[in-house]
Amino acid sequence: MKVKNSFFSTMKEDSSSEESISGNLLTRSGMIKKSSAGVYILLPLGFKISQKVEKIIREEMEAIGCQEVLMPALIPEEVFIKSGRRDNFGSDMFSLKDRNDKPMVLGPSHEEMFIMVAAMGIKSYKDFPLNLFQMQTKFRDETRPRYGLVRLKEFIMKDAYSFDRDLDGLSVSYDNMYKAYTNIFNRIGLDFTVVKADTGVMGGFLSEEFHAVTDIGEDTLVICDDCHYSTNLDVAECACKLNLSTEIHKAKKLEFTPNSKTIEEVATFFNRKPENFVKTLIYKCDGNFYAFLVRGDKELNEIKVKHLLDVKICELASITDVEKITNASVGFAGPIGLKIPIIADLEIQNMANFIVGANKTDYHFVNVNLSDFKVQQFADIRTVVSTDVCPKCGYKFTFKKGIEVGNIFKYGSKYSDSMGLYFVDEDGKQKPFSMGAYGIGIERCIASFIEQHHDDKGIIWKRSLAPYEVCIVTANEANETQSTLGENLYNSLMSKGVDVLYDNRNERIGVKLNDMDLIGIPVRILVGKRAGENIVEVKYRKSPTVIEYNLNNGLEELIKIIYSSDVAML
Ligand SMILES: [Zn+2]
């Protein structure tokens, strides 16, 4: 492409509306343009990059026998009501009505539609395995769209679904997909890690996430460098052993604690540390109230609670409900005398003479012990912290930040059962099939790559995603020797299949070079003062070294230099 007379729009200054490095660089380099919160235009350069990501994914999907389809984004709402997922998505789902008042939604994921198609293709056990995928726009009404292309309301996703006869078949499909994902993220050039994750709104019994490790990651990854236990913080297990306190139990005592509601306030009041407290959190889970106890310096993990109780909704009780249950203002809840079930974190078992709210405004109990109230169940219900150790081997944890670029799920027969779709097995009996689902966020791959590959001048693409493999820049376009050589070199490289961006603008050389650094083309060929001798300057974006190249040595040698840009140790 020649820059002159093409869409090409760069900004010198940082974008005021982008809080992430990738969002800023993509905007400044004219690759994307924000349309509204969480919705972006992919401009020509940005669209080209997304096409490159899609190409890599397509090749890897097809290599494992996955066939491409294209589902509608506009789906009757009843499809999600039937599968039981309408409520799960809640207000994250865009809802609308057609002109006949028929409720429709914009698809946030497509399990139901793929099952519909799979049901057409699967009649008997002979029809397995079946693997389908699509590249399609998804819609999710995120509460907090942010970080440029990381958290969007509208985004392109590759979603794939596997259908197998049984769980063994599913394991094979899942493993194939795992390997394909590894190939994809390696080819894209991401530094990534795979962690176990919560199955969440999608359901199922196993989920793993592929995370690009970056500083702006929205997820915290908990990794053991010794045994390679790796999970999302959401589901990381606590390695809490029963280790009863040897302290002599004292008698509990009611203390007047005026204006001290938070742990910090009460800790200051008693001159004790937060770990001497037990927090009592009143929650409403699928309509029932529970009190959860965690140590004062730790946090309750709602995802663990949801799994423990097998509930869909787990939310803090309202102020009115808390006051009704505890007979006190918010901030003074405690386990003694509570009439609702009490579930305590495992760590509480090892505590003695702790402090709790007294269910009486402005009062706390000190020297409380487990014999003072009844716990229905002890369970792992808190979020791990960086001082926790690996539950498998006891080694220390490393915490990293990650952007989730892909996820893979084992659903098993969940959807087959809930949608009442069965196949006829070898023994003539009707059986449910096993399903897996596999997603990759296209824009997130782009944003993550930039978060990992940039410098103060701009983006540093690898050939895998670069919008162009090489750029030719004329130092002075008005100089006929230079413009002729530039034009000839552009035509020759294009004819050899090299994807070239030719900056033939009548701009100052500094402006042109800065722009090329900003958009991050891996190789730059400068046609300058030695154009008359057929000599050009070749420079890799990631290195300051300049190589003089005499074009009389032929194009093949130059192409070799261009294509070695990803591996060259300069
Ligand atoms: Zn470990």
Side-chain angles (χ1 to χ4, degrees):
M1 188 194 92
K2 294 179 187 176
V3 177
K4 200 194 285 176
N5 300 327
S6 298
F7 180 90
F8 189 86
S9 160
T10 55
M11 288 159 57
K12 268 198 199 131
E13 306 300 325
D14 285 343
S15 159
S16 56
S17 66
E18 295 296 338
E19 71 277 60
S20 65
I21 291 168
S22 55
N24 180 44
L25 290 177
L26 281 160
T27 304
R28 280 186 57 203
S29 56
M31 292 172 183
I32 62 170
K33 164 95 182 136
K34 188 183 269 185
S35 160
S36 60
V39 184
Y40 283 82
I41 301 164
L42 287 181
L43 296 164
L45 288 177
F47 182 64
K48 207 151 180 274
I49 298 159
S50 77
Q51 297 289 96
K52 285 205 154 185
V53 177
E54 289 188 14
K55 182 171 179 284
I56 292 172
I57 297 174
R58 264 196 189 95
E59 286 170 3
E60 294 295 334
M61 287 297 104
E62 282 163 7
I64 57 167
C66 212
Q67 280 176 286
E68 187 165 2
V69 297
L70 183 60
M71 294 293 176
L74 190 63
I75 303 168
E77 188 181 34
E78 64 195 24
V79 169
F80 287 92
I81 294 174
K82 207 173 150 193
S83 72
R85 291 208 303 165
R86 179 63 192 93
D87 289 345
N88 294 355
F89 281 110
S91 44
D92 281 357
M93 204 179 231
F94 279 101
S95 303
L96 61 156
K97 284 188 174 159
D98 74 3
R99 63 169 64 208
N100 299 315
D101 265 353
K102 184 178 168 63
M104 308 289 285
V105 299
L106 296 177
S109 83
H110 279 75
E111 278 75 356
E112 290 81 356
M113 303 301 285
F114 273 86
I115 290 167
M116 213 180 281
V117 172
M120 293 164 64
I122 301 166
K123 297 294 174 217
S124 88
Y125 66 95
K126 291 174 192 159
D127 299 321
F128 293 112
L130 177 65
N131 287 288
L132 299 169
F133 81 100
Q134 67 170 341
M135 299 281 179
Q136 196 238 18
T137 304
K138 302 265 186 263
F139 298 87
R140 290 185 196 167
D141 196 357
E142 295 281 353
T143 5
R144 290 182 66 202
R146 57 184 178 150
Y147 297 146
L149 296 186
V150 174
R151 187 158 288 280
L152 296 168
K153 288 186 181 225
E154 178 179 335
F155 54 96
I156 310 163
M157 187 169 162
K158 184 286 301 181
D159 46 337
Y161 303 85
S162 67
F163 300 90
D164 282 282
R165 184 177 177 178
D166 50 27
L167 290 178
D168 288 344
L170 170 59
S171 285
V172 174
S173 295
Y174 188 89
D175 291 347
N176 286 340
M177 202 56 84
Y178 189 106
K179 282 179 209 144
Y181 271 42
T182 305
N183 292 345
I184 289 166
F185 296 123
N186 279 332
R187 285 180 62 184
I188 287 174
L190 287 177
D191 169 17
F192 68 97
T193 188
V194 188
V195 298
K196 293 250 179 329
D198 179 45
T199 51
V201 69
M202 299 300 174
F205 60 90
L206 175 64
S207 165
E208 288 174 288
E209 293 168 347
F210 289 71
H211 282 269
V213 180
T214 69
D215 293 338
I216 61 150
E218 293 188 300
D219 289 81
T220 302
L221 317 177
V222 180
I223 294 157
C224 169
D225 293 321
D226 196 43
C227 75
H228 303 297
Y229 172 86
S230 58
T231 67
N232 194 308
L233 181 66
D234 292 347
V235 294
E237 301 155 67
C238 296
C240 182
K241 293 200 179 81
L242 194 62
N243 180 18
L244 298 179
S245 163
T246 50
E247 263 184 66
I248 295 163
H249 290 189
K250 299 176 186 165
K252 73 169 194 287
K253 195 173 161 205
L254 190 65
E255 294 271 6
F256 181 52
T257 53
N259 305 318
S260 305
K261 287 183 182 178
T262 65
I263 292 287
E264 290 71 28
E265 285 164 355
V266 191
T268 310
F269 183 88
F270 285 114
N271 197 20
R272 299 279 293 271
K273 287 180 179 160
E275 55 254 46
N276 298 128
F277 290 76
V278 168
K279 280 196 277 200
T280 305
L281 302 154
I282 314 279
Y283 266 73
K284 196 174 183 181
C285 303
D286 278 5
N288 299 313
F289 292 102
Y290 290 86
F292 298 109
L293 309 186
V294 290
R295 212 172 82 173
D297 56 336
K298 302 291 169 60
E299 297 300 326
L300 181 73
N301 182 320
E302 294 177 5
I303 289 172
K304 287 184 179 178
V305 168
K306 276 186 187 175
H307 285 293
L308 179 73
L309 300 176
D310 194 18
V311 293
K312 278 184 185 163
I313 297 165
C314 167
E315 55 192 8
L316 269 172
S318 67
I319 293 175
T320 324
D321 285 332
V322 172
E323 289 179 345
K324 215 181 282 175
I325 290 164
T326 63
N327 288 316
S329 304
V330 169
F332 299 96
I336 299 171
L338 271 192
K339 298 278 189 294
I340 56 173
I342 296 173
I343 297 176
D345 182 62
L346 295 173
E347 213 166 32
I348 310 288
Q349 295 175 99
N350 301 333
M351 293 176 71
N353 301 321
F354 45 86
I355 303 166
V356 299
N359 295 326
K360 185 174 176 184
T361 304
D362 288 339
Y363 283 88
H364 279 81
F365 277 118
V366 295
N367 298 332
V368 173
N369 288 288
L370 287 170
S371 52
D372 294 317
F373 56 93
K374 190 173 174 294
V375 172
Q376 178 182 295
Q377 186 182 1
F378 287 97
D380 175 10
I381 54 169
R382 72 166 176 91
T383 301
V384 301
V385 293
S386 56
T387 48
D388 277 312
V389 294
C390 171
K392 301 290 177 231
C393 75
Y395 195 77
K396 68 176 171 46
F397 276 143
T398 305
F399 277 32
K400 287 182 182 170
K401 288 278 176 197
I403 298 174
E404 185 191 345
V405 284
N407 54 35
I408 53 178
F409 289 89
K410 269 188 188 179
Y411 289 145
S413 62
K414 173 184 141 73
Y415 282 94
S416 182
D417 285 328
S418 74
M419 295 183 75
L421 292 168
Y422 303 100
F423 72 95
V424 180
D425 208 352
E426 215 164 349
D427 56 11
K429 287 186 180 146
Q430 287 223 319
K431 290 183 187 166
F433 51 79
S434 277
M435 182 174 169
Y438 317 89
I440 294 180
I442 309 301
E443 289 95 333
R444 275 191 184 186
C445 289
I446 298 171
S448 303
F449 184 92
I450 296 172
E451 292 293 337
Q452 293 179 349
H453 302 92
H454 64 268
D455 61 13
D456 54 359
K457 291 179 185 156
I459 306 167
I460 306 174
W461 293 112
K462 289 190 182 180
R463 203 180 137 210
S464 55
L465 298 196
Y468 293 91
E469 294 168 322
V470 56
C471 60
I472 298 172
V473 180
T474 43
N476 177 9
E477 186 63 27
N479 176 310
E480 206 172 314
T481 315
Q482 290 184 25
S483 59
T484 308
L485 183 63
E487 181 81 22
N488 288 343
L489 184 57
Y490 171 73
N491 289 330
S492 312
L493 286 173
M494 290 291 281
S495 72
K496 294 283 180 189
V498 181
D499 202 6
V500 189
L501 180 70
Y502 177 25
D503 193 349
N504 58 343
R505 290 175 296 169
N506 296 312
E507 281 281 0
R508 281 181 294 116
I509 176 70
V511 171
K512 288 162 80 165
L513 295 184
N514 283 345
D515 275 348
M516 291 304 124
D517 280 346
L518 175 63
I519 63 177
I521 308 299
V523 183
R524 184 185 79 201
I525 301 175
L526 179 65
V527 181
K529 47 185 185 296
R530 298 189 73 182
E533 304 161 66
N534 243 2
I535 291 174
V536 294
E537 290 179 4
V538 183
K539 183 188 165 300
Y540 296 134
R541 171 66 180 84
K542 63 183 178 183
S543 139
T545 313
V546 173
I547 310 160
E548 283 205 331
Y549 186 80
N550 191 325
L551 291 171
N552 297 334
N553 291 331
L555 220 50
E556 296 308 321
E557 200 54 37
L558 179 63
I559 291 171
K560 258 188 225 163
I561 295 174
I562 291 169
Y563 285 167
S564 68
S565 62
D566 277 357
V567 289
M569 300 297 290
L570 288 167

